[in-house]
Amino acid sequence: MDTSGGGPAVLTLDTSAPLFLASSLTAAGGRGRGVLNRKPPSTSLTSGSEMDFFANEKKTTTATTASVDHPLKVKKEDLTIQTDLHLGNTGSSDASMVDDGMSKEDRNELVAIQAELARMNEENEKLRGILSQVSNDYKALQLHLATLIQQRSNNYSPRKEAMKEKTINDGGGELVPRQFMDLAPVNSRSSSSTASPDRSFSPPEVGSVGLDPSKASSYGDQQAQEATLRKTRVSVRARSEAPMITDGCQWRKYGQKMAKGNPCPRAYYRCTMAAGCPVRKQVQRCADDRSVLITTYEGTHNHPLPPPAMAMASTTSSAVSMLLSGSTSSADGMMLARNLLPCSSNMATISASAPFPTVTLDLTQPPSANPLLQYQLRPPAVAFPSAAPATFASVFGGQMQCYNNQSTFSGLQVSPETVTAATAAITKDPNFTAALTAAVRSIISGNNQASGDGGDDVNAGQK
DNA sequence: CGTCTTTGACCAGCGC
DNA sequence: GCGCTGGTCAAAGACG
């Protein structure tokens, strides 16, 4: 994935566009005729709901494909016509079939044409090679991504995780750390002050695990940050009469408990979009205001999200990478948070006192001067961060009232390090990103009814 | 019959 | 060590 840093939106496009470009190029070049394929460029578009979200990107990449395809195709046709006219052939440009009765000028022209054809064929072969390379790279990336996701899912389980770490600490000799969808170079990460909040988690000690001392520091930092990200939570407060908000994912209830100090039971859900997905969420009504539904997300999906969610996950993962990189200052984190939640302020609070860092998004504020709802009325922005504030209005708007009321990321009463960690958490959480993306998608589909694929959970939740 | 929800039991962490 | 609490498991029942 893209680790080159930069703004979230740019990263998203940088990450996703090449994939579609590759697909498009593959489609164009995979029919055995390379760029000389006479099929209209528009056929390189893949129709289907999953692609609709990327309509803009598709058009861009298609245009790229067409720009490669079309000029050569025209030349070929033109040359063929010229050959036919001058040589009297029916489509063949083979000089061996030309009778000797032609003039010297015709012969010279024929030679020129043949040279041009040869050059075009050579160019065509090169382009085919490029297409093949791009296609292979694309497949390799897909495979790599799937591997990372699989490894990550296999390693996640709070308790088993703790046992695993214990085993490592006990000298199990397992030196290979879990591989997360690590988007930042390990050595670029700061020697984080973000100690693991996980009570069951303890980073391996240098000596006890036989780590290379030169690598131990970054390993410990990485582990601590991973643990932070893994255990940090995103809590969303919103008004809803529904028992559960619709966030685009499928959930299965696995438990319910009465929490202390709250007459309302707390329900526990886990993601069922894929077997073994570690993402869980808790749903509970606010003790003070029963109309407020508090949804807390934890974990990272181990399965491909719908394309929009995937794109957003890429964006936010990149953002996390940026946040966790050594060059990232807390000011960057604040700016990122502001970009991701430009309308947030009082709605976003970060708790460092909880067992796990928890970011709380309070969407229950009064609707006065509500930029979020105003935002809904505007055409969707292409840039994801700009679209982010519309997320909650869109995702939750159909089921609940959704408010926020300011435009700066003020009101945080925690240290810059905590802000960075929590911001990373909120952006890392695929549920959050999925929700963001689903919302953007719903808005786009709302503005582009022609796509006609609005039948996702977001819309289902708005009925 | 498969999937999902319910609900009591169980486990781990923490404070005293 | 004990009790409290949060979180998870898993059997049983409900549902389509």
Side-chain angles (χ1 to χ4, degrees):
Chain A
M1 299 298 280
D2 196 325
T3 63
S4 58
V10 174
L11 284 173
T12 295
L13 296 177
D14 286 350
T15 302
S16 58
L19 300 183
F20 286 104
L21 175 62
S23 299
S24 189
L25 290 174
T26 300
R31 295 185 179 93
R33 298 183 64 180
V35 295
L36 296 181
N37 179 14
R38 291 171 183 256
K39 197 150 186 154
S42 62
T43 57
S44 63
L45 275 175
T46 302
S47 62
S49 60
E50 290 187 352
M51 304 290 285
D52 290 340
F53 183 79
F54 291 111
N56 292 330
E57 285 79 4
K58 280 192 301 184
K59 289 171 184 175
T60 300
T61 54
T62 301
T64 303
T65 305
S67 66
V68 174
D69 189 356
H70 185 62
L72 292 179
K73 182 172 67 177
V74 170
K75 284 185 179 180
K76 161 93 176 197
E77 290 169 344
D78 290 344
L79 288 170
T80 302
I81 292 172
Q82 288 175 9
T83 303
D84 290 345
L85 287 177
H86 288 276
L87 306 181
N89 281 341
T90 55
S92 170
S93 59
D94 189 343
S96 65
M97 298 179 66
V98 178
D99 74 352
D100 294 331
M102 65 175 62
S103 66
K104 185 177 181 180
E105 292 178 355
D106 287 343
R107 287 180 179 278
N108 290 340
E109 192 167 351
L110 175 60
V111 170
I113 290 171
Q114 286 178 321
E116 180 69 10
L117 279 174
R119 188 189 64 78
M120 289 177 57
N121 284 333
E122 185 179 351
E123 191 172 346
N124 192 17
E125 286 304 315
K126 288 180 181 177
L127 290 171
R128 285 185 187 182
I130 293 174
L131 288 171
S132 176
Q133 181 67 37
V134 170
S135 178
N136 289 336
D137 290 346
Y138 174 61
K139 290 175 182 175
L141 274 175
Q142 277 189 316
L143 185 62
H144 186 57
L145 175 62
T147 301
L148 289 175
I149 291 174
Q150 182 63 39
Q151 289 174 344
R152 187 174 185 174
S153 66
N154 289 342
N155 283 313
Y156 180 84
S157 178
R159 292 181 181 175
K160 294 172 184 173
E161 197 73 34
M163 295 297 294
K164 199 176 299 179
E165 299 297 341
K166 190 173 186 300
T167 300
I168 294 175
N169 284 334
D170 291 341
E174 189 67 47
L175 300 183
V176 181
R178 296 178 304 279
Q179 293 186 39
F180 285 68
M181 291 183 66
D182 185 8
L183 300 179
V186 172
N187 55 11
S188 73
R189 291 180 174 181
S190 61
S191 54
S192 173
S193 60
T194 328
S196 169
D198 187 349
R199 293 170 296 189
S200 65
F201 175 81
S202 58
E205 296 174 6
V206 174
S208 61
V209 294
L211 279 174
D212 180 353
S214 65
K215 298 177 182 177
S217 177
S218 63
Y219 178 86
D221 293 343
Q222 186 178 5
Q223 291 290 315
Q225 289 175 344
E226 286 170 356
T228 298
L229 287 178
R230 194 164 56 245
K231 302 307 291 185
T232 45
R233 297 172 174 178
V234 176
S235 180
V236 178
R237 291 167 52 90
R239 297 186 186 282
S240 175
E241 299 304 320
M244 189 173 71
I245 61 177
T246 300
D247 47 25
C249 291
Q250 296 174 347
W251 302 95
R252 175 173 179 163
K253 189 176 182 179
Y254 67 89
Q256 180 169 305
K257 289 281 282 191
M258 293 300 297
K260 186 182 180 181
N262 192 332
C264 301
R266 176 184 298 165
Y268 299 89
Y269 296 86
R270 72 163 51 97
C271 178
T272 59
M273 291 190 74
C277 181
V279 175
R280 300 181 180 190
K281 76 172 180 181
Q282 302 172 7
V283 179
Q284 186 174 33
R285 293 208 170 272
C286 180
D288 298 330
D289 186 351
R290 304 287 181 88
S291 66
V292 175
L293 198 65
I294 303 173
T295 305
T296 304
Y297 295 96
E298 176 185 334
T300 303
H301 291 281
N302 71 341
H303 51 83
L305 296 170
M310 185 72 92
M312 183 57 77
S314 173
T315 297
T316 53
S317 294
S318 298
V320 171
S321 174
M322 184 177 73
L323 282 171
L324 294 180
S325 69
S327 61
T328 299
S329 65
S330 57
D332 293 333
M334 291 294 287
M335 183 167 293
L336 174 67
R338 198 170 301 175
N339 285 336
L340 287 173
L341 297 168
C343 295
S344 65
S345 61
N346 286 350
M347 67 177 278
T349 58
I350 301 173
S351 170
S353 59
F356 314 117
T358 302
V359 180
T360 301
L361 302 174
D362 191 350
L363 306 176
T364 62
Q365 302 294 323
S368 59
N370 190 341
L372 195 133
L373 295 180
Q374 291 174 7
Y375 188 92
Q376 271 191 294
L377 302 178
R378 297 200 300 266
V382 174
F384 285 117
S386 301
T391 295
F392 298 103
S394 180
V395 169
F396 307 132
Q399 292 187 329
M400 62 183 69
Q401 295 170 287
C402 176
Y403 308 127
N404 68 18
N405 61 354
Q406 292 192 16
S407 59
T408 58
F409 205 77
S410 60
L412 298 176
Q413 301 173 348
V414 292
S415 67
E417 290 78 9
T418 306
V419 170
T420 301
T423 305
I426 193 174
T427 56
K428 179 74 173 181
D429 194 306
N431 287 290
F432 174 75
T433 61
L436 286 175
T437 310
V440 173
R441 185 184 182 190
S442 70
I443 293 174
I444 292 176
S445 62
N447 284 273
N448 183 18
Q449 293 297 326
S451 63
D453 83 312
D456 56 16
D457 289 340
V458 172
N459 288 337
Q462 294 177 343
K463 61 187 174 184

